[in-house]
Amino acid sequence: DAKTTQPNSMESNEEEPVHLPCNHSTISGTDYIHWYRQLPSQGPEYVIHGLTSNVNNRMASLAIAEDRKSSTLILHRATLRDAAVYYCILIERWGGSEKLVFGKGTKLTVNP
Amino acid sequence: DTEVTQTPKHLVMGMTNKKSLKCEQHMGHRAMYWYKQKAKKPPELMFVYSYEKLSINESVPSRFSPECPNSSLLNLHLHALQPEDSALYLCASSQERQGSQGRQETQYFGPGTRLLVL
């Protein structure tokens, strides 16, 4: 079962910042927090990941709470192309392999 | 090249047919995955191959048979499927590496094969 909870949907306006929350209260000390997104009619794509400190890349920023029980994906200026389902995932390691266990995700709608 | 390709894009098959889905990556990744995604649901892991050996089978029915002929190819053989097996089948690959945030194993997904079982 997925170990994260996210709102089912969120809405934003184009060129405004978007903050997508994720709760992972049962996170262990070695769990990485990953975010993937799935655009319509495409496979999921990696967005960002982190362990303890906040992270930035060209797509987004990831803010991780000090107790690591929650995190927030930040899109600084939403575009229409960012409309997608965003998944917050704790990676599970199983026999040397990694498993992505997807939760229900947050469907982001971006209004023009 | 960060592309995972899947063929065919669409497939319609009867319950008595045998068909195969193909996945290919040329990134030198050591792990490859099959996922199943029903409409409006998240992807669900089916199989994981690591160094061409099956390492995870998520209790998938035997009518789905994976095969990894070499490090770049992953097949999913289908036989005697049911209509409820209709779904988008996604392939992914990954390779562990050290990044700025420690160990990282990003999965790269293909566009999927949309399967309809009649």
Side-chain angles (χ1 to χ4, degrees):
Chain A
D1 288 350
K3 300 176 182 176
T4 61
T5 55
Q6 300 175 251
N8 288 335
S9 62
M10 289 186 67
E11 210 167 314
S12 171
N13 295 320
E14 206 176 2
E15 299 194 3
E16 289 185 358
V18 181
H19 291 235
L20 298 166
C22 179
N23 287 323
H24 29 77
S25 57
T26 60
I27 191 170
S28 74
T30 56
D31 284 341
Y32 284 78
I33 303 155
H34 285 239
W35 285 79
Y36 281 74
R37 72 180 185 181
Q38 188 170 19
L39 279 65
S41 302
Q42 295 188 26
E45 64 173 346
Y46 167 81
V47 178
I48 200 166
H49 83 288
L51 184 62
T52 55
S53 53
N54 296 343
V55 189
N56 300 298
N57 66 21
R58 62 174 179 80
M59 290 180 73
S61 296
L62 178 59
I64 301 173
E66 201 169 324
D67 63 5
R68 301 203 334 119
K69 293 185 187 299
S70 65
S71 61
T72 302
L73 179 72
I74 302 165
L75 306 179
H76 295 285
R77 290 182 68 207
T79 69
L80 296 178
R81 197 194 169 278
D82 292 321
V85 179
Y86 286 78
Y87 296 101
C88 169
I89 301 168
L90 300 186
I91 300 297
E92 298 181 17
R93 292 198 72 86
W94 187 266
S97 296
E98 290 200 346
K99 296 171 57 170
L100 291 186
V101 180
F102 287 81
K104 294 179 182 177
T106 296
K107 183 176 181 180
L108 175 66
T109 300
V110 180
N111 300 313
Chain B
D1 181 11
T2 57
E3 192 178 18
V4 174
T5 59
Q6 291 187 244
T7 54
K9 285 189 168 56
H10 301 273
L11 179 63
V12 180
M13 61 185 290
M15 289 189 283
T16 58
N17 292 157
K18 284 186 183 181
K19 296 285 184 184
S20 296
L21 309 185
K22 181 180 170 182
C23 172
E24 199 164 358
Q25 57 91 10
H26 295 287
M27 296 176 277
H29 288 174
R30 59 101 182 163
M32 296 187 76
Y33 311 77
W34 280 115
Y35 290 83
K36 174 182 178 179
Q37 186 173 26
K38 302 281 279 184
K40 299 191 185 304
K41 298 288 187 184
E44 294 179 353
L45 183 66
M46 299 174 72
F47 302 103
V48 180
Y49 272 82
S50 179
Y51 295 106
E52 301 170 45
K53 288 188 176 10
L54 183 65
S55 64
I56 297 177
N57 176 341
E58 293 285 84
S59 302
V60 179
S62 60
R63 57 186 185 268
F64 295 92
S65 174
E67 179 198 17
C68 190
N70 61 57
S71 58
S72 300
L73 276 176
L74 186 65
N75 297 321
L76 186 63
H77 302 297
L78 314 172
H79 173 54
L81 294 194
Q82 304 296 311
E84 60 264 29
D85 296 321
S86 299
L88 180 68
Y89 288 84
L90 294 159
C91 173
S93 70
S94 69
Q95 178 72 36
E96 185 173 316
R97 62 182 176 87
Q98 279 296 118
S100 60
Q101 282 288 301
R103 178 184 53 78
Q104 177 179 346
E105 186 152 0
T106 300
Q107 290 194 17
Y108 292 85
F109 286 80
T113 293
R114 195 162 295 280
L115 174 68
L116 177 61
V117 181
L118 299 176

